[in-house]
Amino acid sequence: MQLASKVIRLDLNYSSEQSHYYRKTTTYLAPFKEESAEHFARRILAYLSLFEHSPAIARQDGRGKSPDLYIEDQYSQLRLWCAVDVLDEKLMQRASHQAEQVLLLVDELDYRKSKGSYRRHFPNLICTLLTHESLLSFCEMLQGHMQLDVWRDGDQLLITDGQHSLELTFAPTLLH
């Protein structure tokens, strides 16, 4: 499924009682040229899961040798490389060497097809699998102007747009 909008306005109310982080913000997100709605939805979900860490969203076309989202330290060293696609072995090695931590936020169907054999080779990898049903549910929330309320409770994210709601569990990241 392709997206009809060139730019998405995201009005976000984010709350985390555990870390006492509360923020209301507006962000503009642009899908890559010919990016599917499912891929764009995974990028937004990754952004929401890392929101407290202030991730930067990659500006490339999504097919290069760079992460979909990343977090840098004050010296411009990559602390986190986040990808929303299954990476080939060579790109996974690159990510693992360049960043302290690699996070894959992928559709469980894609991960199963790739056989998901990264774990034993890359100790700094955290993999979060999204069910295809959850991904499709979030795709229903995609609009040109999205208004989302996000509540974090530990590893749980509750996302609602007023009509739909979605509860997701994300693997904890080592960044604190």
Side-chain angles (χ1 to χ4, degrees):
M1 173 173 54
Q2 291 300 119
L3 292 168
S5 299
K6 301 249 185 231
V7 175
I8 304 285
R9 177 181 170 170
L10 173 61
D11 292 330
L12 178 64
N13 291 317
Y14 184 94
S15 302
S16 174
E17 188 174 338
Q18 184 177 2
S19 66
H20 303 290
Y21 186 84
Y22 306 98
R23 184 146 182 218
K24 184 175 183 173
T25 187
T26 298
T27 304
Y28 294 90
L29 305 169
F32 300 136
K33 185 179 180 182
E34 299 179 17
E35 181 176 27
S36 70
E38 291 84 4
H39 190 273
F40 186 62
R42 286 195 308 267
R43 286 198 307 132
I44 294 174
L45 288 171
Y47 176 75
L48 296 175
S49 74
L50 298 168
F51 186 75
E52 291 180 54
H53 302 291
S54 302
I57 297 177
R59 304 281 185 228
Q60 293 81 13
D61 66 1
R63 294 181 292 253
K65 297 178 183 176
S66 61
D68 291 307
L69 288 98
Y70 59 92
I71 298 173
E72 293 179 322
D73 64 13
Q74 67 269 23
Y75 306 109
S76 297
Q77 298 295 315
L78 281 178
R79 292 193 63 213
L80 177 78
W81 175 305
C82 178
V84 298
D85 287 314
V86 175
L87 303 177
D88 64 31
E89 188 80 17
K90 188 174 180 180
L91 189 52
M92 189 63 216
Q93 275 187 326
R94 177 188 172 117
S96 183
H97 288 296
Q98 287 187 356
E100 291 175 28
Q101 184 177 2
V102 178
L103 174 65
L104 292 182
L105 180 73
V106 295
D107 186 303
E108 66 182 350
L109 300 175
D110 293 338
Y111 190 73
R112 284 189 192 139
K113 288 178 194 172
S114 74
K115 308 258 189 295
S117 62
Y118 295 139
R119 278 248 182 250
R120 63 180 171 265
H121 301 298
F122 304 104
N124 62 340
L125 172 66
I126 292 177
C127 193
T128 298
L129 303 180
L130 291 171
T131 64
H132 197 68
E133 294 79 25
S134 295
L135 186 57
L136 292 177
S137 294
F138 188 72
C139 285
E140 291 177 10
M141 294 184 200
L142 292 178
Q143 300 175 27
H145 182 189
M146 297 173 65
Q147 295 178 324
L148 297 180
D149 291 313
V150 178
W151 293 274
R152 178 180 282 281
D153 184 16
D155 297 344
Q156 298 290 113
L157 274 187
L158 178 62
I159 304 167
T160 184
D161 65 355
Q163 287 185 304
H164 307 94
S165 63
L166 180 62
E167 189 171 327
L168 299 171
T169 302
F170 289 96
T173 58
L174 303 176
L175 300 172
H176 292 291

